[in-house]
Amino acid sequence: MAPGQICKVIIGAGPSGSIAGALLRNKGYHVTIREHQRFPRFSIGESLLPQCMEFIQQAVMMETGVHGGFEYKDGVSFVYRNRQTEFSFEDKFTAGIGTAFQVQRDGFDNLLASEAVRKSIDIQWQMEVIAVDFTGDKSKLKTRDEAG
Ligand SMILES: Cc1cc2nc3c(=O)[nH]c(=O)nc-3n(C[C@H](O)[C@H](O)[C@H](O)COP(=O)(O)OP(=O)(O)OC[C@H]3O[C@@H](n4cnc5c(N)ncnc54)[C@H](O)[C@@H]3O)c2cc1C
């Protein structure tokens, strides 16, 4: 890290952590992510919404989804007994991308984290943050590694 460069620490390398890391890195910050687990790991939440795509695009990580070969999802269909209602994401109230990805989270999260590493973000795996102290001049994190 260059002298005087501000270091940002993120807890967790899930989609939020990797994307937030990339956004900060793109602004020139040095970023470290401490992640409790090692990826790929199972996670639930496969059905992305269009706003996710906006964040992925802002973080310049869209290639991750495209190259990951994930299926594009253009809307949803709710079925209840003999009734069916369909919503197209193009019909949403806000401007912007009108599609999303359907992903397997283990692979998707791992790809986003790999992209973060490619952007020179330092991901420290199997490091659990157990305490954060914001009281002094500088924030302090207490972490526990694999060995305890
Ligand atoms: C049943 C269910 C269904 C869902 N379905 C959908 C869906 O269809 N579509 C959708 O968009 N969302 C869905 N979600 C929500 C989705 O799972 C979350 O919004 C998403 O995982 C949040 O991403 P994240 O990066 O914030 O957190 P996570 O993906 O949970 O990542 C957090 C990371 O932080 C790490 N971590 C946590 N604590 C620490 C610590 N103390 N120190 C170090 N590392 C730590 C964890 O190991 C983890 O890897 C669903 C959730 C549930 C429970």
Side-chain angles (χ1 to χ4, degrees):
M1 195 169 94
Q5 197 181 8
I6 297 172
C7 177
K8 301 282 185 189
V9 180
I10 294 175
I11 305 169
S16 311
S18 291
I19 291 172
L23 289 169
L24 290 166
R25 186 72 197 123
N26 293 344
K27 285 182 187 286
Y29 291 104
H30 178 89
V31 182
T32 293
I33 302 179
R34 296 211 175 136
E35 168 54 53
H36 182 27
Q37 301 177 76
R38 182 167 285 283
F39 288 9
R41 54 90 173 94
F42 173 80
S43 183
I44 204 151
E46 313 74 11
S47 174
L48 303 192
L49 290 170
Q51 185 59 46
C52 302
M53 308 292 270
E54 300 281 339
F55 294 134
I56 295 168
Q57 195 173 51
Q58 278 170 30
V60 197
M61 293 173 119
M62 197 56 114
E63 295 299 298
T64 305
V66 176
H67 291 157
F70 301 113
E71 198 175 335
Y72 277 105
K73 192 178 70 174
D74 298 326
V76 290
S77 173
F78 292 101
V79 180
Y80 177 68
R81 295 190 175 149
N82 59 350
R83 289 173 58 198
Q84 183 173 352
T85 314
E86 290 182 358
F87 294 90
S88 165
F89 287 158
E90 291 286 353
D91 296 336
K92 65 195 172 68
F93 296 119
T94 50
I97 302 171
T99 189
F101 288 128
Q102 183 72 25
V103 302
Q104 282 86 42
R105 284 285 305 277
D106 52 353
F108 180 69
D109 291 17
N110 197 35
L111 279 171
L112 284 176
S114 302
E115 183 61 17
V117 170
R118 211 183 57 77
K119 286 179 182 288
S120 302
I121 294 169
D122 172 29
I123 303 186
Q124 298 172 355
W125 300 105
Q126 290 171 304
M127 287 283 260
E128 182 188 14
V129 175
I130 52 174
V132 186
D133 179 1
F134 293 116
T135 53
D137 285 349
K138 291 183 178 173
S139 319
K140 288 179 194 148
L141 286 185
K142 197 171 179 181
T143 53
R144 179 162 48 206
D145 68 10
E146 237 185 320

